Amino acid sequence: MRDAAATLDDPARGGWFGFLSQTCKSLVDPRLRLPAGLLLVVLTFSNIIILFNVPEEGATPSFAFLAAAFVRVGGLLVLAVAILRILAASERHPWRPDGAFFLYAASLIVSFGVAALITALAGEPDAFSAIVLRNVLLTAFLAPFAPWVVGIAAATPLGWNPARFLRGFGRWLPPLLAWTLLLVTPMGILHAVIDLHLVKGAGEWFWPLSLFDGALSAVMALLGLGLNVEAYRRVARGR
């Protein structure tokens, strides 16, 4: 975490608005243009292919559906690691599939499992109240682990030990949780509502909604990763 700590000499970083301000400043890093652009393409077009090939209830998913889902998850994994390493000023190469990459892949699988469990517990998946509940619960569950997840992807030596990252909660957890609930979670709710509308048939609105949803998903992912990295930086500063 030395490189992350070295970027924390600005006294304006304190406070909740400083947390958001520094997150937004970090996201205009020119090095993010390539992974952010690829993220937009992957999330937009994989979702369109998935929507065109949603299997009927009880039917076997088509090859196109499975391939698009694989590209979506795999692309998100590769690009999230690159983005986290760039934002965290990591010593690790952004695109190298090293041990940290595979450890982050394991953490991503765990987060998908948590999301599936929360979805199952939240009730009727198509109900708006259930969509809101599962997004809020997922945010509340995952936020306390954010610096560790960033450390898994970016830190040297390998960030398998949570004790290195999960400390000083008062410096980063309240603003992280607040800004995620205020900004990222509503995007997740809107994304879910749009996808439900697209699956049920959006008619002439399919393409405008699909393209908007792709951009929304990319912004949501970037902002969420940026907020998590700012939490990681605050842990580094408190060391």
Side-chain angles (χ1 to χ4, degrees), residues 20-213:
L20 180 61
S21 173
Q22 292 302 322
T23 296
C24 294
K25 287 180 181 178
S26 70
L27 291 175
V28 299
D29 189 325
R31 295 175 299 166
L32 288 179
R33 290 173 185 168
L34 176 60
L38 291 174
L39 185 68
L40 174 62
V41 171
V42 167
L43 293 181
T44 300
F45 289 100
S46 65
N47 200 42
I48 289 172
I49 295 172
I50 288 170
L51 289 168
F52 271 127
N53 294 276
V54 174
E56 298 290 337
E57 186 174 352
T60 302
S62 67
F63 174 78
F65 179 91
L66 293 174
F70 177 80
V71 169
R72 186 175 183 84
V73 175
L76 181 60
L77 169 62
V78 172
L79 295 169
V81 169
I83 290 166
L84 288 173
R85 289 178 178 180
I86 290 170
L87 289 175
S90 174
E91 297 174 2
R92 297 183 181 276
H93 191 282
W95 305 100
R96 181 172 297 147
D98 51 17
F101 175 89
F102 292 105
L103 189 59
Y104 183 82
S107 74
L108 191 63
I109 292 171
V110 171
S111 69
F112 287 158
V114 171
L117 179 60
I118 289 175
T119 298
L121 296 175
E124 176 58 43
D126 292 354
F128 181 74
S129 59
I131 292 172
V132 172
L133 178 61
R134 68 173 178 256
N135 275 273
V136 170
L137 289 177
L138 187 61
T139 295
F141 183 88
L142 294 180
F145 300 98
W148 183 25
V149 174
V150 176
I152 284 173
T156 54
L158 192 62
W160 61 270
N161 183 5
R164 290 174 59 191
F165 311 101
L166 302 185
R167 48 194 170 81
F169 289 90
R171 290 192 300 271
W172 57 268
L173 183 54
L176 172 65
L177 192 56
W179 291 121
T180 304
L181 286 172
L182 285 172
L183 300 175
V184 181
T185 302
M187 293 183 193
I189 294 169
L190 180 57
H191 165 66
V193 171
I194 290 174
D195 270 2
L196 280 175
H197 187 58
L198 290 170
V199 167
K200 293 176 180 178
E204 62 183 10
W205 285 96
F206 180 86
W207 286 106
L209 281 176
S210 296
L211 295 175
F212 173 79
D213 187 52

